[in-house]
Amino acid sequence: MPTLFSWFFLSVIFLIPSYMFAEQNLRIFVGADTAATDSIFDSKFYQDKKRYGYEGYIGTKIGIEYFFTKKNGIRAFAGLGYANIKLLNEKNGFDLFSGVGTRVEVDYLFNYYSDEKFDFGFFVGMNYFNAFYKRKYEIILTNQVLAILGLNMTIKSYHRIEFGIGVPFFFKGRYDSQEYNNVPVNRKLNNLYYGISYVYLFDL
C-alpha cells in the first residue's frame, strides 16, 4: 500500500512540471546565426610561415531554454550552416576554402530589464565549433572551444536579437591534400569571434 510519503513524493513529481509549463518557463527556439573573425594559422606545411585570413559562418540553430526565476535562465542549442575561410597565399591573393560548420552551445541568461514590450539582458556560456573546409584537393578540419559573452533583446516575448563575442581558448586542426596527410594546423587564440543572431521563441 502506498504510504503518505509516497503520495506526497508523487504529487511533487507531477506538480513541478505542471507549474513550469503553466508559467511558460520552458521554451524552444529556432533562428539564424552568424560568426566571423580575423585569423592567423601556423602549419609545418607552410614551412613555418603564417597565413593570414578571415573566417565566416552563417547557419540555422535550434534549442531549448528554461528560466528558473523571472531574471535567470539557462539554454542549450545546436547549429548547422555554411562556413568558409580565406587564407592569404604567396601571390598576395586569397585562397577560398568552403565547407560546413556545426555549433553546440550552453549559456546562462540574465534579464537585466523587462517590461511589456521587450526584455534586455546578457548571456555567458561555452561553445564548441567544428568546421570542415575544402578547396579543390585540399581539406582543413578544425575543432575549437570558445567562451561566449553577449547581449540580447527580446521583443514582445517572441523575437530575440543577439550580439555575441567568442573568446577561443582551445584549438586543434589538420590539413590534408593529395601530397600531405594529417598535417597539424594551429591557430592564434588572440583573435575574437563576433556575430549576430535572431531567434523566434515558442511556448511549451
Side-chain angles (χ1 to χ4, degrees):
M1 294 291 294
T3 64
L4 183 61
F5 177 78
S6 299
W7 284 113
F8 176 77
F9 180 77
L10 289 173
S11 299
V12 171
I13 291 297
F14 285 103
L15 284 175
I16 289 179
S18 299
Y19 173 78
M20 287 168 49
F21 291 123
E23 293 295 319
Q24 297 182 347
N25 292 326
L26 188 64
R27 312 174 86 183
I28 62 173
F29 56 88
V30 295
D33 208 5
T34 67
T37 185
D38 296 343
S39 183
I40 297 176
F41 284 86
D42 296 322
S43 173
K44 294 179 180 178
F45 174 73
Y46 300 115
Q47 298 178 352
D48 296 327
K49 292 182 179 179
K50 298 176 181 179
R51 298 193 77 184
Y52 179 77
Y54 305 90
E55 290 180 81
Y57 169 85
I58 182 169
T60 60
K61 65 179 179 181
I62 181 170
I64 188 167
E65 70 176 40
Y66 170 63
F67 273 83
F68 46 90
T69 70
K70 187 175 182 180
K71 290 183 175 292
N72 299 276
I74 56 175
R75 72 174 175 190
F77 67 84
L80 174 68
Y82 168 75
N84 66 36
I85 182 170
K86 293 181 179 180
L87 295 178
L88 192 66
N89 56 34
E90 295 179 354
K91 298 179 180 179
N92 241 8
F94 284 97
D95 296 330
L96 175 64
F97 293 75
S98 299
V100 177
T102 58
R103 304 181 68 188
V104 178
E105 184 168 319
V106 178
D107 296 318
Y108 161 73
L109 306 169
F110 179 77
N111 278 343
Y112 179 76
Y113 174 82
S114 299
D115 63 19
E116 295 180 355
K117 294 184 178 180
F118 71 93
D119 299 329
F120 175 79
F122 66 85
F123 58 95
V124 294
M126 299 287 291
N127 180 285
Y128 168 73
F129 182 65
N130 168 270
F132 174 87
Y133 305 101
K134 185 175 182 181
R135 176 181 177 270
K136 296 181 179 179
Y137 302 107
E138 299 176 283
I139 293 173
I140 297 176
L141 180 64
T142 64
N143 296 275
Q144 53 191 321
V145 181
L146 304 96
I148 302 297
L149 175 64
L151 302 173
N152 60 35
M153 182 174 65
T154 306
I155 304 170
K156 295 184 178 179
S157 299
Y158 295 102
H159 304 275
R160 179 178 293 157
I161 300 171
E162 297 184 342
F163 173 76
I165 294 175
V167 183
F169 61 88
F170 171 82
F171 179 91
K172 186 175 182 180
R174 77 168 195 262
Y175 172 90
D176 292 300
S177 68
Q178 289 182 321
E179 299 177 323
Y180 302 93
N181 291 313
N182 295 320
V183 179
V185 176
N186 299 312
R187 180 183 181 276
K188 295 295 184 181
L189 299 181
N190 57 354
N191 296 89
L192 298 179
Y193 281 78
Y194 51 89
I196 59 173
S197 67
Y198 165 82
V199 298
Y200 185 86
L201 298 110
F202 298 86
D203 295 326
L204 291 179

Coordinates of all heavy atoms in Angstrom, one line a residue, residues 56-116:
G56 N 34.4 32.8 -41.7 CA 33.0 33.2 -41.6 C 32.0 32.1 -41.5 O 32.4 30.9 -41.9
Y57 N 30.9 32.3 -40.9 CA 29.9 31.2 -40.7 C 28.5 31.9 -40.7 O 28.3 32.9 -40.1 CB 30.1 30.5 -39.4 CG 29.0 29.6 -38.9 CD1 29.0 28.3 -39.4 CD2 28.0 30.0 -38.1 CE1 27.9 27.4 -39.0 CE2 27.0 29.2 -37.7 CZ 26.9 27.9 -38.2 OH 25.9 27.1 -37.8
I58 N 27.5 31.2 -41.4 CA 26.1 31.6 -41.3 C 25.3 30.3 -41.3 O 25.6 29.4 -42.2 CB 25.7 32.5 -42.4 CG1 24.3 32.9 -42.3 CG2 26.0 31.9 -43.8 CD1 23.8 34.1 -43.2
G59 N 24.4 30.2 -40.4 CA 23.6 28.9 -40.3 C 22.3 29.1 -39.5 O 21.9 30.2 -39.1
T60 N 21.7 28.0 -39.3 CA 20.5 27.9 -38.5 C 20.8 27.3 -37.2 O 21.8 26.6 -37.0 CB 19.4 27.0 -39.2 OG1 19.9 25.7 -39.4 CG2 19.1 27.6 -40.6
K61 N 19.9 27.5 -36.2 CA 20.1 26.9 -34.9 C 18.7 26.6 -34.3 O 17.7 27.3 -34.5 CB 20.9 27.8 -33.9 CG 20.3 29.1 -33.5 CD 21.3 29.8 -32.6 CE 20.7 31.2 -32.2 NZ 21.7 31.9 -31.3
I62 N 18.7 25.6 -33.4 CA 17.5 25.2 -32.7 C 17.9 24.8 -31.3 O 19.0 24.2 -31.1 CB 16.8 24.0 -33.4 CG1 15.5 23.6 -32.7 CG2 17.7 22.8 -33.6 CD1 14.6 22.7 -33.4
G63 N 17.1 25.2 -30.3 CA 17.5 25.0 -28.9 C 16.3 25.0 -28.0 O 15.1 25.2 -28.4
I64 N 16.6 25.0 -26.7 CA 15.6 25.0 -25.6 C 16.2 25.8 -24.5 O 17.4 25.9 -24.3 CB 15.3 23.6 -25.2 CG1 14.1 23.6 -24.2 CG2 16.5 22.9 -24.5 CD1 13.6 22.2 -23.9
E65 N 15.3 26.6 -23.8 CA 15.7 27.4 -22.7 C 14.7 27.3 -21.5 O 13.5 27.0 -21.8 CB 15.9 28.9 -23.1 CG 14.6 29.6 -23.4 CD 14.8 31.0 -23.7 OE1 15.7 31.4 -24.4 OE2 13.9 31.9 -23.3
Y66 N 15.2 27.5 -20.4 CA 14.4 27.4 -19.2 C 14.8 28.5 -18.2 O 15.9 28.6 -17.8 CB 14.5 26.0 -18.5 CG 13.9 26.0 -17.1 CD1 12.5 26.1 -17.0 CD2 14.6 25.8 -16.0 CE1 11.9 26.1 -15.8 CE2 14.0 25.7 -14.7 CZ 12.7 25.9 -14.6 OH 12.0 25.8 -13.4
F67 N 13.8 29.3 -17.8 CA 14.0 30.4 -16.8 C 13.5 29.9 -15.5 O 12.3 29.7 -15.3 CB 13.3 31.7 -17.2 CG 14.1 32.6 -18.1 CD1 14.2 32.3 -19.5 CD2 14.9 33.6 -17.5 CE1 15.0 33.1 -20.3 CE2 15.7 34.4 -18.3 CZ 15.7 34.2 -19.7
F68 N 14.4 29.7 -14.5 CA 14.1 29.1 -13.2 C 13.6 30.3 -12.3 O 13.1 30.0 -11.2 CB 15.2 28.3 -12.6 CG 16.5 28.9 -12.7 CD1 17.0 29.7 -11.7 CD2 17.3 28.6 -13.8 CE1 18.3 30.3 -11.8 CE2 18.6 29.2 -13.9 CZ 19.1 30.0 -12.9
T69 N 13.9 31.5 -12.6 CA 13.3 32.7 -12.0 C 13.0 33.7 -13.1 O 13.2 33.4 -14.3 CB 14.3 33.4 -11.0 OG1 15.3 34.0 -11.7 CG2 14.9 32.4 -10.0
K70 N 12.4 34.8 -12.8 CA 12.0 35.8 -13.8 C 13.2 36.3 -14.5 O 13.1 36.7 -15.7 CB 11.2 36.9 -13.2 CG 10.6 37.9 -14.2 CD 9.7 38.9 -13.5 CE 9.1 39.9 -14.5 NZ 8.3 40.9 -13.9
K71 N 14.3 36.4 -13.9 CA 15.5 37.0 -14.5 C 16.6 36.0 -14.9 O 17.4 36.3 -15.7 CB 16.1 38.0 -13.5 CG 15.3 39.3 -13.3 CD 16.0 40.3 -12.4 CE 15.3 41.6 -12.3 NZ 15.3 42.3 -13.6
N72 N 16.6 34.8 -14.3 CA 17.7 33.9 -14.5 C 17.3 32.7 -15.3 O 16.3 32.0 -14.9 CB 18.3 33.5 -13.1 CG 18.9 34.6 -12.4 OD1 20.0 35.0 -12.6 ND2 18.1 35.2 -11.5
G73 N 18.1 32.3 -16.3 CA 17.7 31.1 -17.1 C 19.0 30.5 -17.7 O 20.1 31.0 -17.6
I74 N 18.7 29.3 -18.3 CA 19.8 28.5 -18.9 C 19.2 28.1 -20.3 O 18.0 28.0 -20.5 CB 20.2 27.3 -18.1 CG1 19.1 26.4 -17.8 CG2 21.0 27.8 -16.9 CD1 19.5 25.1 -17.1
R75 N 20.1 27.8 -21.2 CA 19.7 27.3 -22.5 C 20.8 26.5 -23.1 O 21.9 26.6 -22.8 CB 19.3 28.5 -23.5 CG 20.5 29.3 -23.9 CD 20.2 30.3 -25.0 NE 21.4 31.1 -25.3 CZ 21.3 32.2 -26.1 NH1 20.1 32.6 -26.5 NH2 22.4 32.9 -26.4
A76 N 20.4 25.7 -24.1 CA 21.3 24.9 -24.9 C 20.8 24.9 -26.4 O 19.6 24.8 -26.6 CB 21.4 23.5 -24.4
F77 N 21.7 24.9 -27.3 CA 21.3 24.8 -28.7 C 22.4 24.2 -29.6 O 23.5 24.1 -29.2 CB 20.9 26.2 -29.3 CG 22.0 27.2 -29.4 CD1 22.8 27.2 -30.6 CD2 22.2 28.1 -28.5 CE1 23.8 28.1 -30.7 CE2 23.2 29.1 -28.6 CZ 24.0 29.0 -29.7
A78 N 21.9 23.8 -30.8 CA 22.8 23.2 -31.8 C 22.6 23.9 -33.1 O 21.5 24.4 -33.4 CB 22.6 21.7 -32.0
G79 N 23.7 24.1 -33.9 CA 23.5 24.8 -35.1 C 24.3 24.1 -36.3 O 25.3 23.4 -36.0
L80 N 23.8 24.4 -37.5 CA 24.4 23.8 -38.7 C 24.4 24.8 -39.8 O 23.3 25.5 -40.0 CB 23.7 22.5 -39.1 CG 24.1 21.9 -40.4 CD1 25.5 21.3 -40.3 CD2 23.1 20.8 -40.9
G81 N 25.5 25.0 -40.5 CA 25.5 26.1 -41.5 C 26.7 26.0 -42.5 O 27.5 25.1 -42.4
Y82 N 26.8 27.1 -43.3 CA 27.8 27.2 -44.3 C 29.0 27.9 -43.6 O 28.8 29.0 -42.9 CB 27.3 28.0 -45.5 CG 28.4 28.5 -46.4 CD1 29.1 27.6 -47.3 CD2 28.8 29.8 -46.4 CE1 30.1 28.1 -48.1 CE2 29.8 30.3 -47.2 CZ 30.5 29.4 -48.1 OH 31.5 29.8 -48.9
A83 N 30.2 27.4 -43.8 CA 31.4 28.0 -43.2 C 32.5 28.2 -44.3 O 32.5 27.4 -45.3 CB 32.0 27.1 -42.1
N84 N 33.2 29.3 -44.3 CA 34.3 29.5 -45.2 C 35.5 30.1 -44.5 O 35.4 30.7 -43.5 CB 33.9 30.3 -46.4 CG 33.5 31.7 -46.1 OD1 34.1 32.3 -45.3 ND2 32.5 32.2 -46.8
I85 N 36.6 30.0 -45.2 CA 37.9 30.6 -44.7 C 38.7 31.1 -45.9 O 38.8 30.4 -46.9 CB 38.7 29.7 -43.8 CG1 39.9 30.4 -43.3 CG2 39.1 28.4 -44.6 CD1 40.6 29.5 -42.2
K86 N 39.2 32.3 -45.8 CA 40.1 32.9 -46.9 C 41.5 33.0 -46.3 O 41.6 33.8 -45.3 CB 39.5 34.2 -47.4 CG 38.2 34.2 -48.1 CD 37.8 35.6 -48.5 CE 36.5 35.5 -49.3 NZ 36.0 36.9 -49.7
L87 N 42.4 32.4 -46.9 CA 43.8 32.4 -46.4 C 44.7 33.1 -47.5 O 44.6 32.8 -48.7 CB 44.3 31.0 -46.2 CG 43.6 30.3 -45.0 CD1 44.2 28.9 -44.9 CD2 43.8 31.0 -43.7
L88 N 45.5 34.0 -47.0 CA 46.4 34.7 -47.9 C 47.5 33.8 -48.4 O 48.1 33.0 -47.7 CB 47.1 35.8 -47.1 CG 47.9 36.9 -47.9 CD1 46.9 37.7 -48.8 CD2 48.6 37.8 -46.9
N89 N 47.7 33.8 -49.8 CA 48.7 33.0 -50.4 C 50.0 33.8 -50.7 O 50.1 35.0 -50.5 CB 48.1 32.3 -51.6 CG 47.6 33.3 -52.7 OD1 48.1 34.4 -52.8 ND2 46.5 32.9 -53.4
E90 N 50.9 33.1 -51.4 CA 52.2 33.7 -51.7 C 52.1 34.8 -52.7 O 53.0 35.7 -52.9 CB 53.2 32.7 -52.1 CG 53.6 31.7 -51.0 CD 54.5 30.6 -51.5 OE1 54.8 30.6 -52.7 OE2 55.0 29.8 -50.6
K91 N 51.0 34.8 -53.5 CA 50.8 35.8 -54.6 C 50.1 37.0 -54.0 O 49.6 37.8 -54.8 CB 50.1 35.2 -55.7 CG 50.8 34.0 -56.4 CD 50.0 33.5 -57.6 CE 50.8 32.3 -58.2 NZ 50.0 31.7 -59.3
N92 N 49.9 37.1 -52.7 CA 49.2 38.2 -52.1 C 47.7 38.2 -52.4 O 47.0 39.2 -52.4 CB 49.8 39.5 -52.5 CG 50.3 40.3 -51.3 OD1 50.3 39.8 -50.2 ND2 50.7 41.5 -51.5
G93 N 47.2 37.0 -52.8 CA 45.7 36.9 -53.0 C 45.2 35.9 -51.9 O 45.9 35.4 -51.1
F94 N 43.9 35.7 -52.0 CA 43.2 34.8 -51.0 C 42.8 33.5 -51.6 O 42.1 33.5 -52.7 CB 42.1 35.5 -50.3 CG 42.5 36.6 -49.4 CD1 42.6 37.9 -49.7 CD2 42.8 36.2 -48.1 CE1 42.9 38.9 -48.8 CE2 43.2 37.2 -47.1 CZ 43.3 38.5 -47.5
D95 N 43.1 32.4 -51.0 CA 42.5 31.1 -51.3 C 41.3 30.9 -50.5 O 41.3 31.0 -49.3 CB 43.5 30.0 -51.0 CG 44.8 30.1 -51.9 OD1 44.7 30.6 -53.0 OD2 45.9 29.7 -51.4
L96 N 40.2 30.6 -51.2 CA 38.9 30.4 -50.5 C 38.6 28.9 -50.3 O 38.6 28.1 -51.2 CB 37.8 31.0 -51.4 CG 36.3 30.7 -50.8 CD1 36.1 31.4 -49.5 CD2 35.3 31.2 -51.9
F97 N 38.5 28.5 -49.0 CA 38.1 27.2 -48.6 C 36.6 27.3 -48.1 O 36.3 28.1 -47.3 CB 38.9 26.7 -47.5 CG 40.4 26.4 -47.8 CD1 41.3 27.5 -48.0 CD2 40.8 25.1 -48.0 CE1 42.6 27.2 -48.3 CE2 42.1 24.9 -48.3 CZ 43.0 25.9 -48.5
S98 N 35.7 26.4 -48.7 CA 34.3 26.5 -48.3 C 33.9 25.1 -47.7 O 34.5 24.1 -48.0 CB 33.4 26.7 -49.5 OG 33.7 28.0 -50.0
G99 N 32.9 25.1 -46.8 CA 32.5 23.9 -46.2 C 31.3 24.0 -45.3 O 30.5 24.9 -45.4
V100 N 31.3 23.2 -44.3 CA 30.2 23.0 -43.3 C 30.7 23.3 -41.9 O 31.8 22.8 -41.5 CB 29.5 21.7 -43.4 CG1 28.4 21.5 -42.4 CG2 29.0 21.5 -44.9
G101 N 29.9 24.0 -41.1 CA 30.3 24.2 -39.7 C 29.1 23.7 -38.8 O 27.9 23.8 -39.2
T102 N 29.5 23.2 -37.7 CA 28.5 22.8 -36.7 C 28.8 23.5 -35.3 O 30.0 23.7 -35.0 CB 28.4 21.3 -36.5 OG1 29.7 20.8 -36.1 CG2 28.0 20.6 -37.8
R103 N 27.8 23.8 -34.6 CA 28.0 24.5 -33.3 C 27.1 23.9 -32.2 O 25.9 23.5 -32.5 CB 27.6 26.0 -33.4 CG 28.3 26.8 -34.5 CD 27.9 28.2 -34.5 NE 28.4 28.9 -33.3 CZ 28.0 30.1 -32.9 NH1 27.2 30.8 -33.7 NH2 28.5 30.7 -31.8
V104 N 27.6 23.8 -31.0 CA 26.9 23.4 -29.8 C 27.2 24.4 -28.7 O 28.4 24.6 -28.5 CB 27.2 21.9 -29.4 CG1 26.4 21.6 -28.1 CG2 26.9 20.9 -30.5
E105 N 26.2 24.9 -28.1 CA 26.4 25.9 -27.1 C 25.5 25.8 -25.9 O 24.3 25.4 -26.0 CB 26.3 27.3 -27.7 CG 26.6 28.5 -26.8 CD 26.7 29.8 -27.5 OE1 27.2 29.8 -28.6 OE2 26.2 30.8 -27.0
V106 N 26.0 26.1 -24.7 CA 25.3 26.2 -23.4 C 25.5 27.5 -22.8 O 26.7 27.9 -22.7 CB 25.7 25.0 -22.5 CG1 24.9 25.1 -21.2 CG2 25.5 23.7 -23.1
D107 N 24.4 28.2 -22.4 CA 24.5 29.6 -21.9 C 23.7 29.8 -20.6 O 22.7 29.1 -20.4 CB 24.0 30.6 -22.9 CG 24.8 30.6 -24.2 OD1 26.0 30.6 -24.1 OD2 24.2 30.7 -25.3
Y108 N 24.2 30.7 -19.8 CA 23.4 31.3 -18.7 C 22.9 32.6 -19.2 O 23.6 33.4 -19.7 CB 24.3 31.5 -17.5 CG 23.8 32.4 -16.5 CD1 22.7 32.1 -15.7 CD2 24.3 33.7 -16.3 CE1 22.1 33.0 -14.7 CE2 23.8 34.6 -15.4 CZ 22.7 34.2 -14.6 OH 22.2 35.1 -13.7
L109 N 21.6 32.8 -18.9 CA 20.9 34.0 -19.4 C 20.5 34.9 -18.2 O 20.0 34.3 -17.1 CB 19.6 33.7 -20.2 CG 19.8 32.7 -21.4 CD1 18.4 32.3 -21.9 CD2 20.6 33.4 -22.5
F110 N 20.6 36.2 -18.3 CA 20.2 37.1 -17.2 C 19.4 38.2 -17.9 O 19.9 39.0 -18.7 CB 21.4 37.6 -16.4 CG 21.0 38.6 -15.3 CD1 20.4 38.1 -14.2 CD2 21.1 39.9 -15.5 CE1 20.1 39.0 -13.1 CE2 20.8 40.8 -14.5 CZ 20.2 40.3 -13.3
N111 N 18.1 38.4 -17.5 CA 17.3 39.5 -17.9 C 17.5 40.7 -17.0 O 17.0 40.7 -15.9 CB 15.8 39.1 -18.0 CG 15.5 38.4 -19.2 OD1 16.2 38.4 -20.2 ND2 14.4 37.7 -19.2
Y112 N 18.2 41.7 -17.5 CA 18.5 42.9 -16.6 C 17.3 43.8 -16.5 O 17.1 44.4 -15.5 CB 19.7 43.6 -17.3 CG 20.1 44.9 -16.5 CD1 20.8 44.8 -15.3 CD2 19.7 46.1 -17.0 CE1 21.2 45.9 -14.6 CE2 20.1 47.3 -16.3 CZ 20.8 47.2 -15.1 OH 21.1 48.3 -14.4
Y113 N 16.6 43.9 -17.6 CA 15.4 44.8 -17.6 C 14.3 44.2 -18.4 O 14.5 43.6 -19.4 CB 15.8 46.2 -18.2 CG 14.6 47.1 -18.4 CD1 14.1 47.9 -17.4 CD2 13.9 47.2 -19.6 CE1 13.0 48.7 -17.5 CE2 12.8 48.0 -19.8 CZ 12.4 48.8 -18.7 OH 11.3 49.6 -18.8
S114 N 13.0 44.3 -17.9 CA 11.9 43.7 -18.5 C 10.7 44.6 -18.4 O 10.5 45.2 -17.3 CB 11.5 42.3 -17.9 OG 12.6 41.4 -18.0
D115 N 9.9 44.7 -19.5 CA 8.6 45.3 -19.4 C 7.7 44.6 -20.4 O 8.0 43.6 -20.9 CB 8.7 46.9 -19.6 CG 9.2 47.2 -21.0 OD1 9.1 46.4 -21.9 OD2 9.6 48.4 -21.2
E116 N 6.5 45.2 -20.7 CA 5.6 44.5 -21.6 C 6.0 44.4 -23.0 O 5.6 43.6 -23.8 CB 4.2 45.3 -21.5 CG 3.5 45.2 -20.1 CD 2.2 45.9 -20.1 OE1 1.9 46.5 -21.2 OE2 1.5 45.9 -19.1

